[in-house]
Amino acid sequence: MLGVGGGGVIHVLRSVAAPRSIVGVDIDREVLDVARRFFPLDGSDARWVIRDAIGFVRRSRSRWDLVVDDVYRIVGREARR
């Protein structure tokens, strides 16, 4: 999961697909900490990485069954990919 945010997509994945493992990558430690504190994201299936998503993907040698790209940034009042 590239761009964890509040973890909404992770909740959907768990309820629909029951993945064996989830790797959540977010560049913002505070966003990830808040999401983990206020939403039940942690579990034995989860690993959290604080890193830029593009750099993470470029360096990864892992094979993934599914990659969800939810990376964006706010510019003015707009969300941009």
Side-chain angles (χ1 to χ4, degrees):
M1 176 77 210
L2 305 176
V4 176
V9 173
I10 291 172
H11 291 291
V12 171
L13 285 173
R14 283 179 169 153
S15 67
V16 173
R20 288 181 304 208
S21 67
I22 297 171
V23 177
V25 181
D26 205 292
I27 197 168
D28 191 327
R29 178 180 298 278
E30 288 183 58
V31 168
L32 188 56
D33 288 347
V34 167
R36 291 175 64 202
R37 181 174 176 197
F38 292 102
F39 305 101
L41 294 182
D42 288 335
S44 60
D45 63 344
R47 179 169 67 102
W48 311 114
V49 178
I50 308 299
R51 192 170 301 151
D52 174 76
I54 293 171
F56 176 81
V57 170
R58 284 185 178 153
R59 289 180 189 89
S60 177
R61 298 294 174 237
S62 297
R63 299 189 72 134
W64 310 98
D65 295 321
L66 173 68
V67 175
V68 177
D69 177 355
D70 196 19
V71 176
Y72 65 93
R73 63 186 170 122
I74 303 297
V75 177
R77 292 182 163 193
E78 293 182 24
R80 295 194 182 165
R81 299 209 41 81

